[in-house]
Amino acid sequence: MQALWMVLGSFLFATMAVGIKFASASFGTLELVLYRGIVSVVFMGVVLHTRGVPLRTPVPMMHVWRSTVGVLSLSAWFYAIAHLPVATAMTLNYMSGVWVAAFIVGGALLYGQAQRQGPLLGTVLLGFVGVVLTLRPTIDQNQLFAGVIGLLSGMGAALAYMQVTALGKVGEPEVRTVFYFSVGTVVVGALFTDFTPWSQVSFTAAAWVIPIGVLASLGQWCMTRAYSHGSTLVVASMQYSGIVFAAIYSLTLFGDKIEPIGWMGIAVIVTSGVLATALRARAMPNTPAEDH
């Protein structure tokens, strides 16, 4: 059942990415982060009240760190969606599972235990082979920067979800974790949009803001619930269904063309992510892999 929560969450995130793609023609990236946060705060505030979960948290600094890293990752992902095919941006963000493996390997190197991390290192290298295959056919020269930003969004997601794991272990309710992340998006979005001109948008463009926020909240709630109660390996594997949904949207709604080598790269990234999750689950059974 928890795997189905992950599939639903992945579908909601992919659908949110469609809204971001359309809205990015009228809004700046940080404006979208801000508006997404405002809608999510209202939505999750209602959920908190309905479920009787108090706002007070015994671990405020853990939420600050989780929100800071998560918002940076979210902003990078929104930028990538605006400038890349939806399927490509989604795939790069889902590299987070491979980044977690890379962090584990890096830690092993520091502590002189690299010989034990050969299989994980293999999944990391495999993942980056997939990145090369994916980006080479789908990114023009003027999209190279967006590709790098997309990769960084996956790295940030990995760091954020390691913190989500820690929050779950200290007993933080999932709805409160999602709520405070939404608050963080509002704070960061409001701070940085003060340094950029506000976009003049039509009512039609502004109408995208509400579904983006609601879809983001529901997707994150589903994902957090899946990781809180389900098998890490099964749930993390199911998250890659989001790439399938994103690819369908890319082809049907935006007419994006991904060459066969690009599809091969996406398949390699998914394979490396699943393998990395299987290997690290032995040592870190509750480490999830993704943030939106």
Side-chain angles (χ1 to χ4, degrees):
M1 179 62 184
Q2 305 310 324
L4 294 179
W5 281 112
M6 188 69 250
V7 173
L8 177 58
S10 297
F11 172 74
L12 293 169
F13 281 133
T15 307
M16 181 200 72
V18 172
I20 295 295
K21 188 74 171 178
F22 281 117
S24 62
S26 302
F27 293 97
T29 298
L30 289 173
E31 288 177 302
L32 286 173
V33 170
L34 172 62
Y35 295 141
R36 175 249 191 250
I38 291 173
V39 175
S40 295
V41 165
V42 174
F43 181 82
M44 293 309 301
V46 172
V47 173
L48 279 171
H49 179 73
T50 301
R51 294 169 69 94
V53 178
L55 284 177
R56 185 178 179 83
T57 173
V59 287
M61 292 311 299
M62 291 181 70
H63 283 287
V64 170
W65 170 242
R66 182 266 182 275
S67 294
T68 300
V69 177
V71 171
L72 291 174
S73 170
L74 180 72
S75 302
W77 188 48
F78 279 16
Y79 182 89
I81 291 172
H83 296 86
L84 298 172
V86 172
T88 303
M90 197 87 170
T91 302
L92 293 176
N93 187 260
Y94 277 38
M95 275 286 291
S96 57
V98 180
W99 282 118
V100 171
F103 295 151
I104 294 172
V105 171
L109 288 172
L110 287 176
Y111 290 98
Q113 299 176 339
Q115 68 275 11
R116 303 180 185 178
Q117 303 300 332
L120 265 183
L121 179 59
T123 65
V124 174
L125 296 176
L126 182 64
F128 282 102
V129 168
V131 170
V132 172
L133 292 174
T134 302
L135 298 189
R136 185 180 177 187
T138 59
I139 290 190
D140 300 326
Q141 285 298 318
N142 61 348
Q143 293 180 316
L144 184 59
F145 179 73
V148 174
I149 295 299
L151 275 175
L152 292 176
S153 76
M155 181 187 292
L159 291 171
Y161 264 82
M162 291 173 78
Q163 186 65 10
V164 168
T165 299
L167 283 164
K169 287 181 177 179
V170 299
E172 276 295 271
E174 59 214 35
V175 290
R176 189 157 64 202
T177 297
V178 176
F179 174 80
Y180 278 116
F181 173 63
S182 301
V183 171
T185 63
V186 173
V187 172
V188 173
L191 286 175
F192 284 96
T193 48
D194 285 341
F195 298 98
T196 58
W198 290 83
S199 303
Q200 298 295 321
V201 299
S202 65
F203 176 79
T204 302
W208 282 107
V209 170
I210 294 177
I212 286 171
V214 172
L215 287 167
S217 299
L218 290 174
Q220 196 167 49
W221 192 2
C222 289
M223 176 201 59
T224 305
R225 182 179 180 85
Y227 275 121
S228 298
H229 305 288
S231 165
T232 298
L233 176 56
V234 174
V235 171
S237 299
M238 290 298 100
Q239 75 170 332
Y240 291 101
S241 62
I243 295 176
V244 177
F245 296 131
I248 293 172
Y249 284 140
S250 281
L251 295 172
T252 58
L253 296 181
F254 302 106
D256 294 328
K257 294 182 179 180
I258 301 177
E259 300 297 330
I261 192 173
W263 291 112
M264 184 184 301
I266 289 174
V268 169
I269 289 174
V270 171
T271 300
S272 66
V274 173
L275 289 175
T277 302
L279 290 169
R280 73 176 189 268
R282 299 174 185 175
M284 302 173 65
N286 294 315
T287 302
E290 191 62 38
D291 181 46
H292 301 293

